[in-house]
PDB file of all heavy atoms in Angstrom:
ATOM      1  N   GLY A 439     -40.323 -16.295   5.648  1.00  0.00           N
ATOM      2  CA  GLY A 439     -40.320 -17.495   4.805  1.00  0.00           C
ATOM      3  C   GLY A 439     -38.909 -17.860   4.368  1.00  0.00           C
ATOM      4  O   GLY A 439     -38.714 -18.453   3.317  1.00  0.00           O
ATOM      5  N   ILE A 440     -37.931 -17.460   5.214  1.00  0.00           N
ATOM      6  CA  ILE A 440     -36.537 -17.773   4.881  1.00  0.00           C
ATOM      7  C   ILE A 440     -36.138 -19.080   5.568  1.00  0.00           C
ATOM      8  O   ILE A 440     -36.298 -19.222   6.770  1.00  0.00           O
ATOM      9  CB  ILE A 440     -35.602 -16.636   5.376  1.00  0.00           C
ATOM     10  CG1 ILE A 440     -35.850 -15.374   4.564  1.00  0.00           C
ATOM     11  CG2 ILE A 440     -34.141 -17.062   5.313  1.00  0.00           C
ATOM     12  CD1 ILE A 440     -35.093 -14.162   5.065  1.00  0.00           C
ATOM     13  N   GLU A 441     -35.643 -20.016   4.754  1.00  0.00           N
ATOM     14  CA  GLU A 441     -35.149 -21.274   5.346  1.00  0.00           C
ATOM     15  C   GLU A 441     -33.693 -21.430   4.962  1.00  0.00           C
ATOM     16  O   GLU A 441     -33.371 -21.625   3.790  1.00  0.00           O
ATOM     17  CB  GLU A 441     -35.921 -22.445   4.766  1.00  0.00           C
ATOM     18  CG  GLU A 441     -37.340 -22.558   5.285  1.00  0.00           C
ATOM     19  CD  GLU A 441     -37.998 -23.779   4.667  1.00  0.00           C
ATOM     20  OE1 GLU A 441     -37.642 -24.913   5.017  1.00  0.00           O
ATOM     21  OE2 GLU A 441     -38.829 -23.564   3.779  1.00  0.00           O
ATOM     22  N   ILE A 442     -32.791 -21.311   5.952  1.00  0.00           N
ATOM     23  CA  ILE A 442     -31.380 -21.380   5.560  1.00  0.00           C
ATOM     24  C   ILE A 442     -30.785 -22.766   5.808  1.00  0.00           C
ATOM     25  O   ILE A 442     -31.225 -23.518   6.675  1.00  0.00           O
ATOM     26  CB  ILE A 442     -30.500 -20.282   6.217  1.00  0.00           C
ATOM     27  CG1 ILE A 442     -30.296 -20.502   7.707  1.00  0.00           C
ATOM     28  CG2 ILE A 442     -30.996 -18.905   5.923  1.00  0.00           C
ATOM     29  CD1 ILE A 442     -29.072 -19.737   8.201  1.00  0.00           C
ATOM     30  N   ASP A 443     -29.755 -23.033   5.007  1.00  0.00           N
ATOM     31  CA  ASP A 443     -29.005 -24.271   5.140  1.00  0.00           C
ATOM     32  C   ASP A 443     -27.784 -23.947   6.008  1.00  0.00           C
ATOM     33  O   ASP A 443     -26.854 -23.275   5.565  1.00  0.00           O
ATOM     34  CB  ASP A 443     -28.592 -24.731   3.732  1.00  0.00           C
ATOM     35  CG  ASP A 443     -27.854 -26.050   3.753  1.00  0.00           C
ATOM     36  OD1 ASP A 443     -27.068 -26.261   4.697  1.00  0.00           O
ATOM     37  OD2 ASP A 443     -28.058 -26.852   2.828  1.00  0.00           O
ATOM     38  N   ASP A 444     -27.813 -24.425   7.265  1.00  0.00           N
ATOM     39  CA  ASP A 444     -26.745 -24.055   8.214  1.00  0.00           C
ATOM     40  C   ASP A 444     -25.364 -24.527   7.762  1.00  0.00           C
ATOM     41  O   ASP A 444     -24.365 -23.864   8.015  1.00  0.00           O
ATOM     42  CB  ASP A 444     -27.054 -24.631   9.606  1.00  0.00           C
ATOM     43  CG  ASP A 444     -28.207 -23.883  10.259  1.00  0.00           C
ATOM     44  OD1 ASP A 444     -28.377 -22.690   9.965  1.00  0.00           O
ATOM     45  OD2 ASP A 444     -28.961 -24.512  11.042  1.00  0.00           O
ATOM     46  N   GLU A 445     -25.336 -25.659   7.091  1.00  0.00           N
ATOM     47  CA  GLU A 445     -24.032 -26.184   6.662  1.00  0.00           C
ATOM     48  C   GLU A 445     -23.395 -25.273   5.612  1.00  0.00           C
ATOM     49  O   GLU A 445     -22.221 -24.955   5.682  1.00  0.00           O
ATOM     50  CB  GLU A 445     -24.229 -27.568   6.058  1.00  0.00           C
ATOM     51  CG  GLU A 445     -23.418 -28.637   6.783  1.00  0.00           C
ATOM     52  CD  GLU A 445     -23.781 -29.998   6.261  1.00  0.00           C
ATOM     53  OE1 GLU A 445     -23.355 -30.320   5.135  1.00  0.00           O
ATOM     54  OE2 GLU A 445     -24.520 -30.728   6.976  1.00  0.00           O
ATOM     55  N   ILE A 446     -24.210 -24.859   4.668  1.00  0.00           N
ATOM     56  CA  ILE A 446     -23.675 -23.969   3.617  1.00  0.00           C
ATOM     57  C   ILE A 446     -23.289 -22.632   4.243  1.00  0.00           C
ATOM     58  O   ILE A 446     -22.236 -22.069   3.934  1.00  0.00           O
ATOM     59  CB  ILE A 446     -24.705 -23.773   2.475  1.00  0.00           C
ATOM     60  CG1 ILE A 446     -24.906 -25.110   1.768  1.00  0.00           C
ATOM     61  CG2 ILE A 446     -24.233 -22.703   1.488  1.00  0.00           C
ATOM     62  CD1 ILE A 446     -25.888 -25.079   0.624  1.00  0.00           C
ATOM     63  N   ASN A 447     -24.121 -22.140   5.139  1.00  0.00           N
ATOM     64  CA  ASN A 447     -23.796 -20.868   5.803  1.00  0.00           C
ATOM     65  C   ASN A 447     -22.433 -20.945   6.482  1.00  0.00           C
ATOM     66  O   ASN A 447     -21.645 -19.998   6.454  1.00  0.00           O
ATOM     67  CB  ASN A 447     -24.888 -20.508   6.820  1.00  0.00           C
ATOM     68  CG  ASN A 447     -24.641 -19.161   7.478  1.00  0.00           C
ATOM     69  OD1 ASN A 447     -24.207 -18.213   6.816  1.00  0.00           O
ATOM     70  ND2 ASN A 447     -24.883 -19.066   8.775  1.00  0.00           N
ATOM     71  N   ALA A 448     -22.131 -22.090   7.093  1.00  0.00           N
ATOM     72  CA  ALA A 448     -20.893 -22.219   7.876  1.00  0.00           C
ATOM     73  C   ALA A 448     -19.681 -22.597   7.022  1.00  0.00           C
ATOM     74  O   ALA A 448     -18.554 -22.593   7.519  1.00  0.00           O
ATOM     75  CB  ALA A 448     -21.104 -23.263   8.967  1.00  0.00           C
ATOM     76  N   ASN A 449     -19.913 -22.895   5.754  1.00  0.00           N
ATOM     77  CA  ASN A 449     -18.799 -23.339   4.911  1.00  0.00           C
ATOM     78  C   ASN A 449     -17.994 -22.138   4.397  1.00  0.00           C
ATOM     79  O   ASN A 449     -18.425 -21.410   3.517  1.00  0.00           O
ATOM     80  CB  ASN A 449     -19.361 -24.142   3.734  1.00  0.00           C
ATOM     81  CG  ASN A 449     -18.261 -24.766   2.910  1.00  0.00           C
ATOM     82  OD1 ASN A 449     -17.135 -24.275   2.888  1.00  0.00           O
ATOM     83  ND2 ASN A 449     -18.584 -25.853   2.233  1.00  0.00           N
ATOM     84  N   HIS A 450     -16.798 -21.964   4.981  1.00  0.00           N
ATOM     85  CA  HIS A 450     -15.958 -20.810   4.622  1.00  0.00           C
ATOM     86  C   HIS A 450     -15.326 -20.947   3.246  1.00  0.00           C
ATOM     87  O   HIS A 450     -14.843 -19.976   2.686  1.00  0.00           O
ATOM     88  CB  HIS A 450     -14.839 -20.632   5.660  1.00  0.00           C
ATOM     89  CG  HIS A 450     -15.328 -20.015   6.923  1.00  0.00           C
ATOM     90  ND1 HIS A 450     -15.705 -18.700   7.007  1.00  0.00           N
ATOM     91  CD2 HIS A 450     -15.516 -20.535   8.154  1.00  0.00           C
ATOM     92  CE1 HIS A 450     -16.099 -18.434   8.235  1.00  0.00           C
ATOM     93  NE2 HIS A 450     -16.002 -19.528   8.965  1.00  0.00           N
ATOM     94  N   LYS A 451     -15.300 -22.193   2.740  1.00  0.00           N
ATOM     95  CA  LYS A 451     -14.574 -22.414   1.477  1.00  0.00           C
ATOM     96  C   LYS A 451     -15.317 -21.829   0.287  1.00  0.00           C
ATOM     97  O   LYS A 451     -14.703 -21.398  -0.671  1.00  0.00           O
ATOM     98  CB  LYS A 451     -14.335 -23.912   1.274  1.00  0.00           C
ATOM     99  CG  LYS A 451     -13.256 -24.431   2.205  1.00  0.00           C
ATOM    100  CD  LYS A 451     -12.776 -25.807   1.772  1.00  0.00           C
ATOM    101  CE  LYS A 451     -12.023 -26.450   2.925  1.00  0.00           C
ATOM    102  NZ  LYS A 451     -12.646 -27.708   3.348  1.00  0.00           N
ATOM    103  N   ILE A 452     -16.657 -21.842   0.370  1.00  0.00           N
ATOM    104  CA  ILE A 452     -17.413 -21.297  -0.771  1.00  0.00           C
ATOM    105  C   ILE A 452     -17.675 -19.824  -0.503  1.00  0.00           C
ATOM    106  O   ILE A 452     -18.365 -19.467   0.455  1.00  0.00           O
ATOM    107  CB  ILE A 452     -18.766 -22.014  -0.980  1.00  0.00           C
ATOM    108  CG1 ILE A 452     -18.626 -23.507  -0.721  1.00  0.00           C
ATOM    109  CG2 ILE A 452     -19.306 -21.750  -2.374  1.00  0.00           C
ATOM    110  CD1 ILE A 452     -19.967 -24.239  -0.723  1.00  0.00           C
ATOM    111  N   LYS A 453     -17.108 -18.971  -1.330  1.00  0.00           N
ATOM    112  CA  LYS A 453     -17.205 -17.524  -1.085  1.00  0.00           C
ATOM    113  C   LYS A 453     -18.528 -16.953  -1.580  1.00  0.00           C
ATOM    114  O   LYS A 453     -19.149 -16.143  -0.905  1.00  0.00           O
ATOM    115  CB  LYS A 453     -16.042 -16.789  -1.777  1.00  0.00           C
ATOM    116  CG  LYS A 453     -14.661 -17.223  -1.300  1.00  0.00           C
ATOM    117  CD  LYS A 453     -14.398 -16.754   0.115  1.00  0.00           C
ATOM    118  CE  LYS A 453     -13.080 -17.280   0.652  1.00  0.00           C
ATOM    119  NZ  LYS A 453     -13.067 -17.422   2.106  1.00  0.00           N
ATOM    120  N   GLU A 454     -18.898 -17.356  -2.792  1.00  0.00           N
ATOM    121  CA  GLU A 454     -20.171 -16.859  -3.320  1.00  0.00           C
ATOM    122  C   GLU A 454     -21.165 -18.003  -3.237  1.00  0.00           C
ATOM    123  O   GLU A 454     -20.915 -19.090  -3.754  1.00  0.00           O
ATOM    124  CB  GLU A 454     -19.991 -16.440  -4.789  1.00  0.00           C
ATOM    125  CG  GLU A 454     -21.268 -15.894  -5.401  1.00  0.00           C
ATOM    126  CD  GLU A 454     -21.079 -15.558  -6.867  1.00  0.00           C
ATOM    127  OE1 GLU A 454     -21.202 -16.472  -7.712  1.00  0.00           O
ATOM    128  OE2 GLU A 454     -20.808 -14.392  -7.179  1.00  0.00           O
ATOM    129  N   LYS A 455     -22.288 -17.777  -2.531  1.00  0.00           N
ATOM    130  CA  LYS A 455     -23.198 -18.911  -2.334  1.00  0.00           C
ATOM    131  C   LYS A 455     -24.611 -18.463  -2.015  1.00  0.00           C
ATOM    132  O   LYS A 455     -24.837 -17.346  -1.541  1.00  0.00           O
ATOM    133  CB  LYS A 455     -22.671 -19.789  -1.196  1.00  0.00           C
ATOM    134  CG  LYS A 455     -22.464 -19.036   0.113  1.00  0.00           C
ATOM    135  CD  LYS A 455     -21.638 -19.878   1.081  1.00  0.00           C
ATOM    136  CE  LYS A 455     -21.252 -19.104   2.319  1.00  0.00           C
ATOM    137  NZ  LYS A 455     -20.345 -19.850   3.180  1.00  0.00           N
ATOM    138  N   GLU A 456     -25.537 -19.416  -2.243  1.00  0.00           N
ATOM    139  CA  GLU A 456     -26.911 -19.203  -1.786  1.00  0.00           C
ATOM    140  C   GLU A 456     -27.039 -19.900  -0.437  1.00  0.00           C
ATOM    141  O   GLU A 456     -26.643 -21.054  -0.277  1.00  0.00           O
ATOM    142  CB  GLU A 456     -27.909 -19.804  -2.791  1.00  0.00           C
ATOM    143  CG  GLU A 456     -29.327 -19.678  -2.267  1.00  0.00           C
ATOM    144  CD  GLU A 456     -30.409 -19.906  -3.320  1.00  0.00           C
ATOM    145  OE1 GLU A 456     -30.069 -20.214  -4.476  1.00  0.00           O
ATOM    146  OE2 GLU A 456     -31.588 -19.765  -2.948  1.00  0.00           O
ATOM    147  N   LEU A 457     -27.592 -19.204   0.556  1.00  0.00           N
ATOM    148  CA  LEU A 457     -27.708 -19.775   1.894  1.00  0.00           C
ATOM    149  C   LEU A 457     -29.027 -20.498   2.091  1.00  0.00           C
ATOM    150  O   LEU A 457     -29.172 -21.274   3.032  1.00  0.00           O
ATOM    151  CB  LEU A 457     -27.607 -18.679   2.954  1.00  0.00           C
ATOM    152  CG  LEU A 457     -26.343 -17.822   2.974  1.00  0.00           C
ATOM    153  CD1 LEU A 457     -26.386 -16.861   4.153  1.00  0.00           C
ATOM    154  CD2 LEU A 457     -25.097 -18.698   3.071  1.00  0.00           C
ATOM    155  N   THR A 458     -30.005 -20.176   1.234  1.00  0.00           N
ATOM    156  CA  THR A 458     -31.339 -20.726   1.466  1.00  0.00           C
ATOM    157  C   THR A 458     -31.538 -22.078   0.789  1.00  0.00           C
ATOM    158  O   THR A 458     -30.910 -22.385  -0.221  1.00  0.00           O
ATOM    159  CB  THR A 458     -32.411 -19.732   0.980  1.00  0.00           C
ATOM    160  OG1 THR A 458     -31.902 -18.991  -0.118  1.00  0.00           O
ATOM    161  CG2 THR A 458     -32.800 -18.775   2.072  1.00  0.00           C
ATOM    162  N   LYS A 459     -32.444 -22.854   1.404  1.00  0.00           N
ATOM    163  CA  LYS A 459     -32.786 -24.176   0.853  1.00  0.00           C
ATOM    164  C   LYS A 459     -33.714 -23.987  -0.350  1.00  0.00           C
ATOM    165  O   LYS A 459     -34.438 -22.988  -0.405  1.00  0.00           O
ATOM    166  CB  LYS A 459     -33.517 -24.989   1.919  1.00  0.00           C
ATOM    167  CG  LYS A 459     -32.648 -25.344   3.115  1.00  0.00           C
ATOM    168  CD  LYS A 459     -33.462 -26.131   4.133  1.00  0.00           C
ATOM    169  CE  LYS A 459     -32.612 -26.519   5.320  1.00  0.00           C
ATOM    170  NZ  LYS A 459     -33.404 -26.977   6.463  1.00  0.00           N
ATOM    171  N   PRO A 460     -33.731 -24.971  -1.253  1.00  0.00           N
ATOM    172  CA  PRO A 460     -34.655 -24.862  -2.379  1.00  0.00           C
ATOM    173  C   PRO A 460     -36.081 -24.679  -1.850  1.00  0.00           C
ATOM    174  O   PRO A 460     -36.453 -25.315  -0.860  1.00  0.00           O
ATOM    175  CB  PRO A 460     -34.517 -26.226  -3.091  1.00  0.00           C
ATOM    176  CG  PRO A 460     -33.215 -26.785  -2.614  1.00  0.00           C
ATOM    177  CD  PRO A 460     -32.929 -26.208  -1.270  1.00  0.00           C
ATOM    178  N   GLY A 461     -36.809 -23.788  -2.462  1.00  0.00           N
ATOM    179  CA  GLY A 461     -38.196 -23.581  -2.037  1.00  0.00           C
ATOM    180  C   GLY A 461     -38.364 -22.464  -1.017  1.00  0.00           C
ATOM    181  O   GLY A 461     -39.487 -22.070  -0.708  1.00  0.00           O
ATOM    182  N   SER A 462     -37.255 -21.946  -0.476  1.00  0.00           N
ATOM    183  CA  SER A 462     -37.350 -20.838   0.480  1.00  0.00           C
ATOM    184  C   SER A 462     -38.070 -19.663  -0.197  1.00  0.00           C
ATOM    185  O   SER A 462     -37.767 -19.331  -1.351  1.00  0.00           O
ATOM    186  CB  SER A 462     -35.943 -20.414   0.911  1.00  0.00           C
ATOM    187  OG  SER A 462     -36.005 -19.298   1.761  1.00  0.00           O
ATOM    188  N   LYS A 463     -39.002 -19.053   0.506  1.00  0.00           N
ATOM    189  CA  LYS A 463     -39.826 -18.004  -0.113  1.00  0.00           C
ATOM    190  C   LYS A 463     -38.975 -16.792  -0.514  1.00  0.00           C
ATOM    191  O   LYS A 463     -39.188 -16.175  -1.553  1.00  0.00           O
ATOM    192  CB  LYS A 463     -40.908 -17.586   0.882  1.00  0.00           C
ATOM    193  CG  LYS A 463     -42.243 -17.372   0.237  1.00  0.00           C
ATOM    194  CD  LYS A 463     -43.336 -17.234   1.278  1.00  0.00           C
ATOM    195  CE  LYS A 463     -44.026 -15.900   1.127  1.00  0.00           C
ATOM    196  NZ  LYS A 463     -44.741 -15.478   2.301  1.00  0.00           N
ATOM    197  N   VAL A 464     -38.043 -16.457   0.359  1.00  0.00           N
ATOM    198  CA  VAL A 464     -37.087 -15.383   0.044  1.00  0.00           C
ATOM    199  C   VAL A 464     -35.722 -16.053  -0.056  1.00  0.00           C
ATOM    200  O   VAL A 464     -35.364 -16.860   0.803  1.00  0.00           O
ATOM    201  CB  VAL A 464     -37.071 -14.318   1.167  1.00  0.00           C
ATOM    202  CG1 VAL A 464     -36.018 -13.260   0.892  1.00  0.00           C
ATOM    203  CG2 VAL A 464     -38.444 -13.679   1.324  1.00  0.00           C
ATOM    204  N   ARG A 465     -34.978 -15.739  -1.106  1.00  0.00           N
ATOM    205  CA  ARG A 465     -33.653 -16.360  -1.266  1.00  0.00           C
ATOM    206  C   ARG A 465     -32.578 -15.452  -0.674  1.00  0.00           C
ATOM    207  O   ARG A 465     -32.704 -14.227  -0.725  1.00  0.00           O
ATOM    208  CB  ARG A 465     -33.395 -16.646  -2.752  1.00  0.00           C
ATOM    209  CG  ARG A 465     -34.400 -17.651  -3.302  1.00  0.00           C
ATOM    210  CD  ARG A 465     -34.256 -17.839  -4.791  1.00  0.00           C
ATOM    211  NE  ARG A 465     -33.025 -18.557  -5.139  1.00  0.00           N
ATOM    212  CZ  ARG A 465     -32.659 -18.836  -6.395  1.00  0.00           C
ATOM    213  NH1 ARG A 465     -33.438 -18.467  -7.403  1.00  0.00           N
ATOM    214  NH2 ARG A 465     -31.532 -19.475  -6.638  1.00  0.00           N
ATOM    215  N   VAL A 466     -31.558 -16.056  -0.090  1.00  0.00           N
ATOM    216  CA  VAL A 466     -30.501 -15.269   0.555  1.00  0.00           C
ATOM    217  C   VAL A 466     -29.151 -15.701  -0.010  1.00  0.00           C
ATOM    218  O   VAL A 466     -28.880 -16.898  -0.136  1.00  0.00           O
ATOM    219  CB  VAL A 466     -30.506 -15.468   2.094  1.00  0.00           C
ATOM    220  CG1 VAL A 466     -29.398 -14.632   2.736  1.00  0.00           C
ATOM    221  CG2 VAL A 466     -31.864 -15.102   2.688  1.00  0.00           C
ATOM    222  N   PHE A 467     -28.324 -14.703  -0.345  1.00  0.00           N
ATOM    223  CA  PHE A 467     -27.024 -14.993  -0.956  1.00  0.00           C
ATOM    224  C   PHE A 467     -25.892 -14.290  -0.198  1.00  0.00           C
ATOM    225  O   PHE A 467     -26.103 -13.230   0.394  1.00  0.00           O
ATOM    226  CB  PHE A 467     -26.985 -14.470  -2.400  1.00  0.00           C
ATOM    227  CG  PHE A 467     -27.974 -15.135  -3.311  1.00  0.00           C
ATOM    228  CD1 PHE A 467     -29.288 -14.654  -3.399  1.00  0.00           C
ATOM    229  CD2 PHE A 467     -27.615 -16.237  -4.069  1.00  0.00           C
ATOM    230  CE1 PHE A 467     -30.213 -15.265  -4.240  1.00  0.00           C
ATOM    231  CE2 PHE A 467     -28.543 -16.855  -4.913  1.00  0.00           C
ATOM    232  CZ  PHE A 467     -29.839 -16.367  -4.998  1.00  0.00           C
TER     233      PHE A 467
END
Side-chain angles (χ1 to χ4, degrees):
I440 292 174
E441 287 181 71
I442 71 160
D443 182 323
D444 288 331
E445 238 173 74
I446 294 180
N447 183 39
N449 187 335
H450 283 289
K451 286 194 197 120
I452 321 172
K453 300 290 175 208
E454 181 183 84
K455 56 194 172 186
E456 176 165 2
L457 302 184
T458 31
K459 294 179 179 166
S462 176
K463 221 169 121 200
V464 176
R465 297 174 71 181
V466 180
F467 297 86

